[in-house]
Amino acid sequence: VKNKYSDEMRNCIYKTVENLVQMETSSDRPGMFLGKIQSGKTRAFIGVMGLALDNGYEMVIVLTKGTKALAQQTLKRLEAEFWSFVEDDQIQIYDIMNIPSNLTRYELNQKIIIVAKKEVRNLTKLHELLSDIYPQLVEKKTLIIDDEADFASVGFTRTKTEGIQIRKIALRVDELR
């Protein structure tokens, strides 16, 4: 860890997880990393994920921009970062669209990382996973990371027939929280 992170980033990661553990961040009061393009935000959230999983969190849901390429890139990066834990059968990492519907109790009791694109099909599948297929996952202490928060901010659309309506993706992310 020391070689991968500057002192400043390590301090940010520790402070973020401390805020999570002390419940200073929640669905009503989310935390946020702000930074320029290529500033290390993704690396920082991976550090937060690892430390959160070491401190009581059991599941992480990573929301990515709605492109297949970015979702695959995020999945591969997480698999590379956490490969030793996957190899030791401590963590399961899934793309929401490829998660098996027959996970064993043993697998469900492991720590789980799920990557989902912020698009209607992926978010609907995530909702089905948590409500119908594996409702026991809702009981896991869960960290939701929105890798591209600009797409998850509350968005509204005005229609002639229904007036102002919340956009589908923003609604699905809100339901997830």
Side-chain angles (χ1 to χ4, degrees), residues 2-177:
K2 273 197 172 200
N3 297 335
K4 286 187 176 184
Y5 297 100
S6 68
D7 289 342
E8 182 180 32
M9 189 174 293
R10 258 195 325 280
N11 290 336
C12 176
I13 290 166
Y14 286 122
K15 182 67 175 167
T16 300
V17 174
E18 182 180 310
N19 287 339
L20 289 170
V21 170
Q22 293 176 1
M23 303 296 270
E24 292 181 25
T25 55
S26 67
S27 61
D28 294 326
R29 191 175 165 197
M32 185 179 298
F33 284 133
L34 295 173
K36 295 180 180 177
I37 294 171
Q38 299 297 313
S39 65
K41 294 180 301 291
T42 301
R43 188 165 34 127
F45 89 61
I46 289 171
V48 167
M49 288 173 58
L51 194 56
L53 289 168
D54 284 345
N55 284 277
Y57 281 80
E58 303 165 289
M59 184 164 66
V60 179
I61 298 171
V62 179
L63 302 174
T64 68
K65 200 177 277 188
T67 67
K68 186 174 184 176
L70 185 57
Q72 286 302 312
Q73 177 184 343
T74 301
L75 185 67
K76 292 203 179 311
R77 187 163 180 186
L78 293 173
E79 288 171 340
E81 289 288 335
F82 293 102
W83 73 269
S84 64
F85 299 100
V86 172
E87 288 288 313
D88 290 343
D89 240 5
Q90 296 176 357
I91 292 179
Q92 299 288 322
I93 302 175
Y94 300 105
D95 177 312
I96 188 60
M97 299 309 285
N98 297 319
I99 193 166
S101 59
N102 60 348
L103 292 176
T104 65
R105 182 180 297 148
Y106 175 77
E107 291 167 318
L108 291 169
N109 285 330
Q110 293 176 356
K111 296 180 188 243
I112 296 174
I113 298 172
I114 299 172
V115 176
K117 291 185 296 188
K118 278 185 287 184
E119 58 92 31
V120 175
R121 265 186 17 165
N122 274 243
L123 295 175
T124 298
K125 173 97 179 198
L126 183 57
H127 179 75
E128 290 170 359
L129 180 86
L130 297 173
S131 62
D132 301 331
I133 301 170
Y134 301 118
Q136 64 270 44
L137 292 180
V138 174
E139 302 302 317
K140 285 185 174 276
K141 189 170 184 177
T142 302
L143 175 62
I144 300 171
I145 294 180
D146 188 342
D147 190 20
E148 298 289 337
D150 55 330
F151 274 84
S153 57
V154 178
F156 293 90
T157 302
R158 181 186 304 267
T159 66
K160 289 183 181 183
T161 56
E162 292 146 354
I164 297 175
Q165 298 288 314
I166 191 167
R167 290 188 185 138
K168 287 182 181 180
I169 291 174
L171 178 63
R172 286 292 185 196
V173 171
D174 192 52
E175 289 170 346
L176 174 62
R177 286 197 319 254

